[in-house]
Amino acid sequence: MRALTPKGAATRQRIVEGAAKLIRDHGPANVGLDDIRAATTTSKSQLFHYFPDGKADMLLAVAAHEAELVLAEQEPYLSDLTSWSQWEAWRDRVIARYAAQRRRCPLSALTAQLGLADPAVEGIITGMYTRWHRHVADGVRAVRPDADAERVATQIIGAIAGGATMLVATDDIRYLEIGLTDAIESLRNA
Amino acid sequence: MRALTPKGAATRQRIVEGAAKLIRDHGPANVGLDDIRAATTTSKSQLFHYFPDGKADMLLAVAAHEAELVLAEQEPYLSDLTSWSQWEAWRDRVIARYAAQRRRCPLSALTAQLGLADPAVEGIITGMYTRWHRHVADGVRAVRPDADAERVATQIIGAIAGGATMLVATDDIRYLEIGLTDAIESLRNA
DNA sequence: CATGGATTGGACTACGCGGTCCAAAATGCC
DNA sequence: GGCATTTTGGACCGCGTAGTCCAATCCATG
């Protein structure tokens, strides 16, 4: 995997994105290598050429890709929570995003499938949450310099995680709406 | 399954509990029928005798069993959130319980494995959350008759769900501690 | 144009595991 | 005690699917 020509890199990318979409649509448990092969017009040997350790290796790349997306889709707001209007725009974006995907949460599905035992998976997930947390904490410091930014960020990230979990479990978006809205509101009235 | 002698009922129970423990310890994906068979000293035919529809049927029974446990372990507090000291005792119980189980959340693992598509699974999960929500809302009405009990309950359940999710994802209990504590605190200061 | 490495195709293998089956033993019932 | 029903044992089957292998082809570089 050290020498990767542009063509090879493109193929690898095509596999990751194709697999990600497939998994998003059908769930990781219902997607086999043959499905991915068919959806990405590749051959078995290509799959194992670019992911020598097999399926787990591939799912790992998919997970990293999805984790990246989660944060990317919150931009440009997440990196610039410097005013209340930015906070509100961010909140709306987050809620809209989850409302759109409904129960299909790629990350929770993937981590459940891969298992947190794998340190590589764990690294991806904790890394994502760390970055997310830091962005939010930075935002808190920007609008409420006297607040305990770490604690508030923990509360807010927790509210989102809970909202997402309840959305998956019960198909009810209100947990996210209420949790996130109230958390921001209580910060505003601090 | 209509006629079940005491002996049969006992065997069935043994299977469910054994499978539940096994799944709690190793994750649903890593437990096969043979493992369950070995752990419960039963034979293949018994498994299919008591769960004619196979593994899915069995996991369903396990999920129902675990869902029951989640609520049962919050008693006697959950059903009697009529004073702030009861609220605090309940909160401590919930936090202690999750702190003890750490990343092994039986419910999230099971639902992820079974998939929300199955209406039977969905029924178990939503049923559990509905009861949980109702208990909390009753508690809110008891200590803050003027509050919007439904909204507060949504917020609190969401905080717990988020704390549990983050605990599984990052092995960090603070999301639950802070989320639940702050939610109750904000109710108290309402 | 020659050569070696990257890339691709697709048939083939291995096997874990869910599920089936039938016969034997235990149990309940009159 | 005898008949019906439930309970149990465990060998066996079949399928889905991850993973292997080797040959063919593309492509960069000298």
Side-chain angles (χ1 to χ4, degrees):
Chain A
M1 193 82 59
R2 34 257 93 219
L4 255 208
T5 70
K7 191 179 183 184
T11 301
R12 200 191 125 100
Q13 184 73 3
R14 180 159 41 97
I15 292 173
V16 169
E17 285 174 4
K21 170 160 183 50
L22 226 47
I23 287 171
R24 242 178 279 132
D25 290 348
H26 304 100
N30 305 317
V31 174
L33 293 187
D34 277 340
D35 301 316
I36 297 172
R37 202 184 44 65
T40 58
T41 54
T42 50
S43 67
K44 219 51 172 306
S45 73
Q46 283 172 291
L47 263 40
F48 283 86
H49 181 68
Y50 294 107
F51 304 95
D53 290 346
K55 193 181 189 182
D57 203 357
M58 235 189 59
L59 291 185
L60 202 65
V62 171
H65 178 253
E66 294 287 18
E68 211 55 48
L69 270 181
V70 168
L71 294 185
E73 282 177 334
Q74 298 178 49
E75 297 299 349
Y77 308 111
L78 181 59
S79 290
D80 187 42
L81 295 172
T82 50
S83 69
W84 293 115
S85 68
Q86 285 289 91
W87 273 87
E88 272 169 27
W90 172 67
R91 183 202 61 193
D92 292 345
R93 170 72 69 86
V94 170
I95 292 174
R97 202 243 167 173
Y98 280 98
Q101 83 180 16
R102 220 68 193 161
R103 313 189 103 171
R104 335 219 123 153
C105 179
L107 264 191
S108 73
L110 235 13
T111 56
Q113 176 75 3
L114 288 168
L116 311 310
D118 188 337
V121 179
E122 163 136 28
I124 290 173
I125 300 301
T126 57
M128 184 208 69
Y129 278 123
T130 300
R131 282 200 284 158
W132 200 347
H133 191 285
R134 196 175 56 237
H135 278 127
V136 172
D138 285 346
V140 172
R141 278 184 280 270
V143 296
R144 277 275 180 274
D146 51 333
D148 182 342
E150 290 303 318
R151 185 180 183 95
V152 173
T154 299
Q155 195 190 338
I156 289 174
I157 297 289
I160 295 174
T165 298
M166 293 303 292
L167 177 61
V168 170
T170 68
D171 201 26
D172 186 346
I173 190 80
R174 284 176 301 167
Y175 288 88
L176 179 62
E177 286 175 350
I178 291 176
L180 184 52
T181 301
D182 285 6
I184 294 176
E185 203 56 30
S186 95
L187 172 66
R188 198 163 186 174
N189 301 332
Chain B
M1 194 79 62
R2 49 252 97 202
L4 253 207
T5 70
K7 191 179 183 183
T11 300
R12 199 190 126 102
Q13 184 72 2
R14 180 160 40 97
I15 292 172
V16 170
E17 286 176 3
K21 173 163 182 46
L22 225 48
I23 288 171
R24 244 178 277 132
D25 291 348
H26 304 101
N30 306 316
V31 174
L33 292 186
D34 276 341
D35 301 315
I36 297 172
R37 202 183 44 65
T40 59
T41 55
T42 49
S43 68
K44 217 57 171 302
S45 73
Q46 282 173 291
L47 263 39
F48 283 86
H49 180 67
Y50 295 106
F51 303 96
D53 290 346
K55 192 181 189 181
D57 202 356
M58 235 189 57
L59 291 185
L60 202 66
V62 171
H65 177 254
E66 295 287 20
E68 210 56 49
L69 235 56
V70 168
L71 295 185
E73 283 177 334
Q74 298 178 48
E75 298 300 347
Y77 309 109
L78 181 59
S79 290
D80 187 42
L81 293 172
T82 50
S83 69
W84 292 115
S85 67
Q86 286 289 90
W87 272 87
E88 274 169 23
W90 171 67
R91 184 202 61 193
D92 292 344
R93 170 73 68 87
V94 169
I95 291 174
R97 201 244 166 172
Y98 279 98
Q101 83 179 15
R102 220 68 194 161
R103 316 190 98 170
R104 336 220 121 154
C105 180
L107 265 190
S108 73
L110 270 173
T111 55
Q113 176 74 4
L114 288 167
L116 311 313
D118 187 338
V121 179
E122 164 137 28
I124 289 174
I125 300 301
T126 56
M128 185 207 68
Y129 278 124
T130 300
R131 282 201 284 158
W132 200 348
H133 191 285
R134 196 175 56 236
H135 278 126
V136 172
D138 284 347
V140 172
R141 277 184 281 270
V143 294
R144 278 276 180 274
D146 51 334
D148 182 341
E150 290 303 319
R151 185 179 184 97
V152 173
T154 298
Q155 195 190 339
I156 289 174
I157 296 289
I160 295 174
T165 298
M166 293 304 291
L167 177 62
V168 170
T170 68
D171 200 26
D172 186 345
I173 191 81
R174 283 176 301 169
Y175 289 88
L176 180 62
E177 286 175 349
I178 291 176
L180 184 51
T181 301
D182 285 6
I184 295 176
E185 203 56 29
S186 97
L187 172 65
R188 198 164 184 173
N189 301 332

